[in-house]
Every structure is written in C-alpha cells, then in structure tokens.
Amino acid sequence: MSQITVRGGKPLNGRIELKGAKNLVTKAMVAALLGETPSVLKDVPFISDVDIVSRLLQLHGVAITHSEDGVMSLDPSDVASARMVDIDAHAGSSRIPILFCGPLLHRLGEAFIPGLGGCHIGDRPIDYHFEVLRKFGAVIEELPNGTRLSAPKGLKGAKISLPYPSVGATEQVLLTATRAEGLTELSGAAIEPEIMDLISILQKMGAIISVDTDRVIRIEGVKELHGYTHRALFDRNEAASWACAALATQGDIFVGGARQQEMTAFLNVFRKVGGAFDIQDDGIRFFHPGGELNPVVLETDVHPGFMTDWQQPLVVALTQANGLSIIHETVYENRFGFTDALVQMGAQIQIYRECLGGNPCRFGQRNFYHSAVINGPAKLTGADIRVPDLRGGFSHMVAALAAEGVSNVTNVQLISRGYEHFLDKLAALGADFEYSE
Ligand code: EPU
C-alpha cells in the first residue's frame, strides 16, 4: 500500500497545470462508442479512472492511443462484445461502466455491466439509471456478478422526469437518447458544466439536443453519429482543491487552465472566507492574503450551487477560520467521514443529523450525519491517517501539509483516481514529503 510521509507547516507556493475534468473526460470516452468513425479528445489526464474506462473500451474493440501531451484517439470501427469474465475483472473499480449501457445497446444490441465501484460517500444507488433505461425499452437482468441488458425492440425516445437532478442519470439519458428512435424529453435534468460539455461533444457527433429553461433537455434521435474532435473542459474540482490547499497552508498557487465562469459559486465562497484570487487569461492565482480567515455558512447543491466535491478541501481551510462555520451537505448523505482524521489532527468538527444552516433537504429525519460545524482556528498536528476516498483523501493531504509535525498518510493511490501527477505537483509546490510504495 502506498504511503506518504509529510512534514507539514510549510506554505504551498508555485504553479500547476490542469487538464480535462475527470467527470467529463471519462464520459466523453464512452460517447466515442456511439460514433461510426474515430474521435479525438484533448487534455485527457493520466489518472486511474481514465485507465479503467480505456481498458473497458478496449475490451469492446475500441482502439485507443493516449499521447504524453494528453491527446487521446478512440477508434470504434471494430466494436464487438466482450467476454463477461474480462469485463467482470473490472468490477468494483469505477462508476462509469453504468454509462456504457446505452451506447453498447445501440452498437451491439446487448450489454454486460460489472458491479460498480467509486467513492464510498453514501449508498450511491443506480435506480434512476435502470428506470431511465427501461423507459427507452431496455430489458434489465441483474446477475450475481453484474447486470445484463438487451433491447429486443430497439431503443425508443421517451418522456422522462428525474426525481433529483442526478449527473449520472442525465448522462445516461443523453448517451442513450441521441441514437434512440424519436424524441426524448428529460425534465429535472442536471445542468453541470461537465454535462454541457458532453452535450457539445454529442452535437459535434451529429446529435440534436436542446437545453431549455427549468432543467428540461430535449433530444431528437438520429440514426447515426460520427466521431468528434474536442478539447475537454478543465477540471474545476481539481482547481478548487488546489485553491483550498493554498488557503489552508497560507500559500500561493497559480492554477493554470482554471476559468472563472464554471467556478463562480466557489470563487464567491473563497472570497468570503478571506482567500484572494487573481483571474488571468491562462488560469487563476489563489492565495492567502494574510490576516484572519472568516467562517461561513453554506450548503452544497447541484449546479449552479456550491459543488459537493468542493466541500472537503474547504473544510480543511475552515479549520483555520476564526469562528463557527456550518456546512450542510445536500448531495450525498454520507460525505463527512473524512472529518474523523481531521479531528484526530486537532480540528474541532462536530457532525449532525439535522439540516443545519440552510433549507431542509431530502436527508433530514433520516439519520444521516450530513451537517458539519467547524470551530476554528484550530492548531493541526501531524498524525497517521488513511485516505478514505478521492476528495476526502486530498483533504487529508492538505491537512497534513498544513499541520505541524510529521504525518504518515496511507492508501494515497486513491488520490491518483482523480488528480493527475499528484506527487509531482506537490513537489513543484515545495511540499516536504517522501513517498514509498
Ligand atoms: N442518486 C440516486 N439514484 C441514482 C443516481 C443517483 O439516488 O440512480 C443520488 C445519489 O445517491 C446522490 C445524488 O443522486 O445522492 C446525486 O448523484 P449523481 O448521480 O448526481 O452523482 P454521480 O453521477 O454518481 C457525479 C460525479 C461525482 C459528483 C456528483 C455530483 C462522476 C464520475 N462523479 O457522480 O464526483 O460528486 O456527480 O456532482 O462524474 C468525485 O469526483 O469525487 C465525485 C464523487
């Protein structure tokens, strides 16, 4: 198991460069399956989620190359069914395989999806996905080692309403509807920038998709799609993570490739907390301008709200703010598990079942510890900690870098699921650490 020994208490200073968003790139790779001709995706990061999706696509006959500078070509000319046992080898590794359903049904008339993985931040059911696929006419058979799908009568456009604007279920609809027969109307859709970028890609491929007001997306099915060439949207979750790392360590980080528009909600909170930023053409500089940090009250939400993936690194910075902060997590029911390690390091954080500091959410009255109160400033000291999930793990690293003394952080390979060249970036920012396998 990989481990990092960190000597904390030093500001992170320097420049890092972002590539494309993990939460877009992996879906754009799946979209390539829908085309009859090759696609080219630029700014593809070297992260393990991309590796997993590459391997699954290759098992289905897609030829893939990924150059050093992040250009990926995907040739789906020879798409073919893969052996169940080979697919099954990827069980538990990612959540993206659920998005293979529509494209494989269109290309092959059948699909087998392994058991899903991903971060343990709640139950993460896939009921919306199955409900959506059934509406298109898919027949779903749950097997002990995965799910088999077929579409004996083909896939037909449908009127769909999501009970919650789920990112994955919206992508499921997009990837299935573009080649389904007839019209699809999706209401209650997620409208995250990564989804808008996926829509741009599908439009380049020949799809007809309109995004209307009030979370309604309409798709006119077409018979055939072709390949695309596209530069992926930057990773705004990674940008926010490094911004919080700058704040928590009293540092100064220029995040190359970050853009203002997709981060407005984050930038407002960053400024309220007392962080400073300077928006330039080629990225955003995030820094601690000196003085005290301020507490905030906020709730995470779907876009255009404050993203759930931004709260974990922000919590670390808030341990250094002067007063009580409240965060109400409304997207996942169990996303404060990472705070245990921060408390072990000296942070004062209490988690509650109640919906604190905001509107009642669907997790209220349901025994989920989904609100956190952070009392700062607290002196953090090094500790032995284990990375629990991707964003929580990044936060642990930030806490270790901000803390006085030595921390041993294990299970750090999880961080490379979503942060490209993580250790190189830490080194470039002047972090004092050693890595061992
Ligand atoms: N949900 C259901 N049933 C479903 C699908 C979702 O109840 O069938 C619930 C979930 O349990 C959750 C909520 O709906 O409470 C929102 O889930 P959503 O489907 O929007 O999330 P996702 O598509 O599984 C993506 C990102 C997450 C990000 C969320 C929210 C990817 C691969 N993952 O997950 O990113 O937090 O959207 O923006 O795109 C991460 O990058 O670390 C990460 C977890």
Side-chain angles (χ1 to χ4, degrees):
M1 188 183 296
S2 54
Q3 172 175 318
I4 299 184
T5 302
V6 182
R7 283 169 292 278
K10 276 176 56 180
L12 293 183
N13 291 324
R15 177 179 179 124
I16 57 116
E17 295 295 328
L18 299 176
K19 282 225 191 75
K22 165 180 92 70
N23 292 349
L24 174 270
V25 162
T26 43
K27 289 71 178 280
M29 292 169 68
V30 179
L33 256 182
L34 286 165
E36 302 293 332
T37 53
S39 291
V40 176
L41 185 59
K42 298 177 191 168
D43 275 354
V44 179
F46 286 88
I47 51 176
S48 44
D49 269 19
V50 164
D51 292 341
I52 293 161
V53 178
S54 295
R55 270 185 253 127
L56 274 172
L57 285 170
Q58 283 162 338
L59 281 179
H60 288 93
V62 180
I64 297 182
T65 61
H66 189 182
S67 71
E68 275 300 304
D69 58 351
V71 178
M72 177 172 274
S73 72
L74 305 108
D75 184 350
S77 322
D78 294 320
V79 167
S81 294
R83 292 190 324 151
M84 234 197 232
V85 49
D86 293 333
I87 299 176
D88 197 36
H90 297 280
S93 54
S94 161
R95 296 188 65 72
I96 310 297
I98 190 75
L99 296 176
F100 278 62
C101 295
L104 285 180
L105 285 172
H106 283 302
R107 292 299 300 258
L108 303 168
E110 60 173 8
F112 175 72
I113 307 299
L116 301 181
C119 292
H120 302 295
I121 49 182
D123 242 5
R124 306 196 79 180
I126 45 173
D127 51 335
Y128 303 166
H129 292 256
F130 285 163
E131 197 53 36
V132 160
L133 287 159
R134 284 195 187 97
K135 288 229 159 127
F136 282 108
V139 175
I140 300 170
E141 190 189 349
E142 295 204 47
L143 307 175
N145 58 344
T147 308
R148 191 177 12 224
L149 297 98
S150 58
K153 295 185 184 153
L155 295 171
K156 298 206 169 48
K159 200 170 158 87
I160 297 166
S161 174
L162 290 178
Y164 183 81
S166 150
V167 169
T170 301
E171 292 160 343
Q172 185 74 264
V173 171
L174 290 170
L175 291 167
T176 308
T178 43
R179 276 186 58 174
E181 191 191 319
L183 287 179
T184 294
E185 182 188 283
L186 171 65
S187 48
I191 50 165
E192 267 63 6
E194 292 78 13
I195 287 180
M196 295 302 135
D197 210 33
L198 181 62
I199 291 176
S200 303
I201 289 172
L202 292 167
Q203 188 177 52
K204 283 179 175 174
M205 297 177 79
I208 302 171
I209 303 172
S210 65
V211 182
D212 297 345
T213 45
D214 295 335
R215 298 187 176 275
V216 175
I217 298 181
R218 289 193 173 81
I219 304 131
E220 285 183 38
V222 295
K223 283 215 166 62
E224 205 175 288
L225 294 172
H226 50 78
Y228 64 81
T229 297
H230 190 78
R231 186 173 296 284
L233 174 75
F234 76 101
D235 198 316
R236 63 201 177 108
N237 292 341
E238 180 167 3
S241 301
W242 290 114
C244 294
L247 201 55
T249 64
Q250 306 203 4
D252 187 334
I253 302 180
F254 187 88
V255 182
R259 290 200 316 232
Q260 177 181 17
Q261 203 184 328
E262 293 80 3
M263 297 193 70
T264 315
F266 177 82
L267 294 171
N268 284 334
V269 170
F270 194 76
R271 177 170 279 159
K272 279 206 269 186
V273 172
F277 54 85
D278 178 16
I279 297 162
Q280 298 184 11
D281 287 348
D282 59 342
I284 305 180
R285 174 184 167 215
F286 295 96
F287 58 103
H288 190 310
E292 282 183 355
L293 299 183
N294 313 307
V296 282
V297 176
L298 67 84
E299 55 184 25
T300 63
D301 207 347
V302 294
H303 189 76
F306 189 92
M307 276 208 82
T308 167
D309 301 287
W310 297 338
Q311 60 93 344
Q312 303 82 351
L314 182 73
V315 165
V316 183
L318 291 176
T319 65
Q320 303 310 304
N322 193 15
L324 286 181
S325 294
I326 300 176
I327 298 199
H328 179 206
E329 168 61 61
T330 75
V331 180
Y332 290 110
E333 68 273 27
N334 185 18
R335 216 172 184 181
F336 282 123
F338 73 99
T339 57
D340 288 353
L342 303 187
V343 170
Q344 193 190 333
M345 297 174 85
Q348 290 181 34
I349 304 174
Q350 186 81 41
I351 51 176
Y352 293 88
R353 282 188 283 241
E354 287 76 9
C355 300
L356 295 185
N359 303 311
C361 78
R362 64 208 159 103
F363 305 137
Q365 320 295 331
R366 285 179 59 204
N367 271 326
F368 296 124
Y369 284 85
H370 69 292
S371 293
V373 176
I374 304 131
N375 186 15
K379 184 172 174 323
L380 300 180
T381 38
D384 291 350
I385 45 186
R386 187 173 193 278
V387 165
D389 61 65
L390 176 63
R391 308 289 168 202
F394 187 95
S395 306
H396 287 178
M397 280 302 302
V398 175
L401 290 158
E404 262 176 39
V406 175
S407 295
N408 292 306
V409 190
T410 51
N411 211 24
V412 284
Q413 74 282 354
L414 264 190
I415 300 177
S416 63
R417 270 196 48 218
Y419 295 87
E420 185 188 41
H421 304 322
F422 177 62
L423 299 180
D424 295 343
K425 284 175 182 158
L426 282 183
L429 296 172
D432 186 356
F433 71 95
E434 270 138 38
Y435 175 75
S436 53
E437 287 284 342

